[in-house]
Amino acid sequence: MADPRESRDPEDHDLDLDDVFGEGGVTPDLLDRRPVKPRTVASLYESRPGLNPTQAVTRFMEAVNLQERFGHLRVVDDLIGLQRRVGDTIERYTDKLRNAEARSGTSESARFGIGHFHGERAVVYVVDWSFFAGSLGEVAGEKFVQAAELAEREGLPLISMGASSGVRQHENVLGLVQMQRMAAAANKFQHTTNRPYISVLAGQVWGGMSASAVPVADLIVALEGTDYGFAGRRVIETFEGREVPRGLQSAEANYLDRNVDVLVKDVDELIDFVGQVLGSGRTGNRLRVKDADDALAETGSRTVTAGPEGFSAALWERQEVAEQVELPRDRRDRDSATPRDSLMARYNEIAAGAARLDTEYYLRHVFDGAVPFYNHVRFEDQKAYPSIIAALATLGGQSFMVIGDQPSYSISGGYVGKRPANPSPEDFEYAVRMMTAAERWDLPIVFFTDTLGAMPSMAAERRGQSRAIAQSIKRAASHPFPTISVITGAMGSGGGLATTPFGRETIMLDSALGFVSEPRSTASILYSVANPSVEQVGMTLETMKASALDLKAQGLVDTIVHDADNPEATVRELRAAVVKGYNAQHGLNPRRLRRQADDRLRPRTLGKLATTDERGPGGHEEQPQQQHQGADRPDSEPAAAPAPDLKADAEADDAPATPPEPASD
């Protein structure tokens, strides 16, 4: 049979049109013999906007009205004496500095001073590519140290911005040690103040900056069109002996790998973004939020939107909407015949129900306002989010760091499909960095959890999945300010626990589930089969006690919120629960918060087991001796410790250390 691709070109006028468009005939796509290049997400890099780093830096300095400090600092001699031969002459370092100054109109690559972001003052450090390709030397390093110290003295945020080719070769190790000085200065600023440090990438950022001042920032923001990495493309190609894929070191690729937190379209969006972050309120008071008293309809819907292909704007108000779909919120477990059927319906809806409310929805509706620390990307029919997202949200004048699992969606022809969140090591590392920022900024945290479990792949295992989950669990459980855990869907395995610190305030939707592992996986273990039956999964789910009522009976959940058919009703009840949970922890110091959580999670079912050799004459159990004597016996179980008196502990924590009063006769 002839290959239809060998047919004549459709532009050939001798071709019978019936052969092309007739019943069962050859179609135009078969006649097109041109090779089809498969589309991938990487193709988005090819259409990204161009970026001139010098223009971006100049526009940025004008927008913040930079009031420069120590602008006179410059290199005055050859330092190490590095030279190169240019024709018949020897070019010295001072010669190159004079030439660079003549071309750029400035005396060094770095500047710093006070800037303003919509009325919010901050110390601003910029690196300009136009001078010596933004390379770092003694002057640039010293200016960063001076900027960090100024921000510390003035109690101001620190913002760095610009492009850099790396450490200046003409200063050799004298330039190299500036990486150490900059990283140490940033660290000192972060440990002595509670103000944000935000690093902005604009253009080409390599070597020195990329491995010192940038990655230690609380938040890493990049202008679209930026490239970012340690070793440049030519260095990598020389070492590996093969070509570096196009776009591999773009800011967009770094965002997908979670090396960059936020992408912004231009300098104007950058100024708005930073201004909103710096302008968020931190009252430190108990919340008094007035609830709306207007009546609500019994049913409602949520809107799922999609914009053009590419990376979304960071700020919601700047995002384009090209398509939107209304999804009725109709719970699938309402009309179930049995409790098992109801649980299975919840389980299936959590896995595939696109109408369920997600973290972004709660950010937009539970809180008064929020600044997202993430983007989403639209590619063909996919609207993809990172598996864990975060935002700086405000409620009743108090700022919160909000961290939660986020599903992704496919949107086509009015149909919306859902891909649940399965976090990878990079997602958990991102969550840890957001928790660290919250601790530095003195912020409480609200966690939203909805994941069947962490990414179960070999690639994730090789990248340290277990370590990343453990670090997230540790950081969440030890946060020194109030934390509120909200289980909105599935709290699955360690991947779910990583964003669900129990023991302080835990809220759970009545449609949510919590389990040690995804029920199908649990059933496959229990029944030793690869594909358990629906009956086996149903029995497993029913008897593992995974519902909100079950977890509340176990002492793990404080408040159950009704997941209503009208999303607005759910949001109102959840908002009130968050306020209640925050107020319950308000004013407690870190030691009391941790002690309270430890006490609540202490097992209640442990007791001393009676054995025959512990019984005295006549078979009656003897009174237990002192605790240390019983604990020394190898065949005895330790007695459960008595619950501490939290009030007494609190008074002890707050009271000064004084010697006891002498006993009187």
Side-chain angles (χ1 to χ4, degrees):
M1 180 177 178
D3 188 339
R5 290 174 296 181
E6 298 299 326
S7 304
R8 289 174 291 174
D9 190 275
E11 296 297 324
D12 190 341
H13 297 290
D14 294 331
L15 185 65
D16 190 344
L17 291 179
D18 290 337
D19 292 335
V20 179
F21 302 107
E23 293 290 337
V26 180
T27 58
D29 59 314
L30 291 177
L31 289 171
D32 191 348
R33 299 167 58 189
R34 293 172 298 181
V36 178
K37 183 179 180 181
R39 295 200 63 208
T40 64
V41 176
S43 64
L44 293 174
Y45 310 143
E46 299 175 4
S47 60
R48 68 177 185 161
L51 177 65
N52 184 308
T54 298
Q55 292 179 0
V57 167
T58 301
R59 170 77 185 95
F60 177 79
M61 289 191 295
E62 292 173 351
V64 302
N65 189 26
L66 182 67
Q67 302 165 10
E68 188 176 1
R69 305 283 183 94
F70 291 92
H72 62 281
L73 292 180
R74 65 183 67 197
V75 176
V76 296
D77 59 34
D78 280 338
L79 294 179
I80 63 171
L82 181 65
Q83 302 174 351
R84 73 167 182 170
R85 180 175 294 279
V86 181
D88 296 331
T89 62
I90 298 297
E91 182 186 66
R92 299 177 301 170
Y93 182 28
T94 50
D95 298 329
K96 288 187 69 68
L97 288 171
R98 283 195 295 269
N99 292 335
E101 186 171 347
R103 288 193 301 268
S104 66
T106 183
S107 60
E108 252 300 337
S109 60
R111 305 180 188 180
F112 83 97
I114 302 292
H116 299 79
F117 297 84
H118 298 317
E120 299 291 334
R121 297 174 71 239
V123 174
V124 175
Y125 174 86
V126 295
V127 181
D128 189 352
W129 185 271
S130 68
F131 187 93
F132 237 110
S135 55
L136 299 180
E138 286 194 319
V139 173
E142 177 62 23
K143 286 189 175 183
F144 185 88
V145 172
Q146 294 279 358
E149 291 177 349
L150 174 62
E152 180 183 348
R153 288 195 306 272
E154 298 287 335
L156 295 175
L158 176 62
I159 315 294
S160 69
M161 190 269 195
S164 174
S165 60
V167 175
R168 195 170 298 172
Q169 304 297 317
H170 295 76
E171 298 188 20
N172 201 29
V173 179
L174 291 175
L176 191 67
V177 297
Q178 303 312 311
M179 295 173 61
Q180 175 181 325
R181 298 188 68 222
M182 295 168 77
N187 183 67
K188 181 173 180 288
F189 168 79
Q190 290 171 319
H191 280 79
T192 54
T193 76
N194 63 355
R195 306 302 290 151
Y197 167 36
I198 301 174
S199 180
V200 182
L201 315 178
Q204 308 276 326
V205 182
W206 309 104
M209 281 288 289
S210 76
S212 60
V214 171
V216 299
D218 299 322
L219 201 61
I220 302 174
V221 182
L223 290 173
E224 287 191 9
T226 292
D227 289 321
Y228 171 53
F230 181 69
R233 177 179 57 83
R234 283 179 294 182
V235 174
I236 297 174
E237 289 178 346
T238 299
F239 181 81
E240 293 198 344
R242 58 177 176 171
E243 185 177 356
V244 174
R246 182 182 179 88
L248 181 71
Q249 294 176 292
S250 65
E252 292 78 3
N254 274 285
Y255 171 78
L256 295 176
D257 290 337
R258 311 228 69 168
N259 297 320
V260 167
D261 300 319
V262 180
L263 292 173
V264 291
K265 298 288 183 182
D266 50 34
V267 172
D268 291 338
E269 185 184 3
L270 171 64
I271 299 297
D272 288 346
F273 176 84
V274 175
Q276 289 186 30
V277 173
L278 302 186
S280 297
R282 296 170 176 82
T283 65
N285 299 323
R286 291 173 62 88
L287 297 183
R288 293 178 175 85
V289 181
K290 183 179 179 181
D291 293 328
D293 54 5
D294 53 306
L296 294 174
E298 291 185 1
T299 61
S301 62
R302 63 164 298 196
T303 303
V304 177
T305 64
E309 278 201 347
F311 291 85
S312 67
L315 300 176
W316 292 326
E317 61 267 24
R318 288 177 170 264
Q319 293 179 5
E320 299 180 51
V321 177
E323 180 182 5
Q324 63 181 34
V325 181
E326 292 291 331
L327 297 178
R329 181 70 188 100
D330 184 17
R331 286 182 55 172
R332 301 179 183 181
D333 61 340
R334 297 293 192 203
D335 303 321
S336 301
T338 66
R340 181 180 299 183
D341 292 340
S342 176
L343 289 170
M344 285 295 290
R346 294 180 202 177
Y347 172 46
N348 291 328
E349 187 193 32
I350 287 171
R356 289 190 67 89
L357 308 185
D358 56 23
T359 297
E360 183 170 84
Y361 186 92
Y362 294 123
L363 278 170
R364 288 174 178 260
H365 295 87
V366 171
F367 299 90
D368 301 329
V371 186
F373 292 164
Y374 64 92
N375 305 75
H376 72 261
V377 59
R378 173 74 186 274
F379 179 69
E380 295 183 332
D381 294 334
Q382 301 296 318
K383 183 180 182 181
Y385 289 87
S387 287
I388 295 179
I389 62 175
L392 181 61
T394 304
L395 178 59
Q398 170 64 46
S399 291
F400 293 82
M401 181 68 78
V402 179
I403 301 170
D405 300 300
Q406 175 66 26
S408 295
Y409 303 95
S410 59
I411 305 174
S412 179
Y415 170 79
V416 180
K418 174 183 174 182
R419 189 188 72 199
N422 291 113
S424 294
E426 296 79 12
D427 298 303
F428 294 117
E429 290 166 4
Y430 166 83
V432 168
R433 289 194 296 103
M434 295 300 104
M435 294 180 221
T436 303
E439 181 174 343
R440 281 206 55 251
W441 303 350
D442 299 342
L443 295 179
I445 302 178
V446 178
F447 295 94
F448 289 102
T449 300
D450 183 11
T451 177
L452 295 173
M455 177 63 72
S457 69
M458 286 304 302
E461 293 298 312
R462 295 185 63 183
R463 295 198 304 273
Q465 184 74 289
S466 296
R467 181 182 297 109
I469 292 173
Q471 292 294 329
S472 186
I473 292 173
K474 180 181 76 171
R475 178 66 71 171
S478 60
H479 189 64
F481 302 102
T483 62
I484 301 165
S485 300
V486 185
I487 304 173
T488 62
M491 198 292 299
S493 190
L497 185 64
T499 54
T500 316
F502 285 96
R504 299 193 187 178
E505 187 70 24
T506 303
I507 303 166
M508 189 169 182
L509 267 60
D510 64 352
S511 63
L513 298 170
F515 32 74
V516 68
S517 67
E518 195 266 342
R520 284 189 175 85
S521 300
T522 302
S524 68
I525 295 171
L526 291 177
Y527 294 96
S528 300
V529 294
N531 297 300
S533 66
V534 174
E535 171 67 21
Q536 291 169 333
V537 174
M539 184 174 182
T540 300
L541 184 56
E542 182 179 20
T543 57
M544 72 194 316
K545 303 297 184 184
S547 73
L549 288 173
D550 292 325
L551 268 62
K552 185 170 185 180
Q554 296 160 21
L556 296 173
V557 169
D558 300 284
T559 305
I560 297 178
V561 170
H562 175 54
D563 186 1
D565 287 337
N566 187 337
E568 190 174 343
T570 305
V571 163
R572 284 192 186 182
E573 189 174 346
L574 181 54
R575 178 184 175 96
V578 169
V579 170
K580 173 178 170 290
Y582 172 76
N583 286 339
Q585 301 173 71
H586 180 266
L588 300 183
N589 61 37
R591 183 179 176 186
R592 289 179 62 187
L593 287 171
R594 292 165 183 154
R595 179 179 296 177
Q596 181 174 299
D598 290 343
D599 176 62
R600 290 192 59 188
L601 297 178
R602 181 176 289 114
R604 293 174 170 81
T605 59
L606 296 184
K608 192 170 183 180
L609 298 179
T611 59
T612 56
D613 57 355
E614 287 179 312
R615 296 181 182 275
H620 297 291
E621 184 173 350
E622 294 181 347
Q623 293 297 320
Q625 299 181 15
Q626 292 186 8
Q627 185 175 355
H628 72 274
Q629 294 174 340
D632 289 339
R633 296 186 56 169
D635 59 347
S636 64
E637 293 288 336
D645 185 342
L646 293 181
K647 182 177 180 181
D649 286 339
E651 293 172 352
D653 288 343
D654 298 335
T658 57
E661 294 289 333
S664 59
D665 293 333

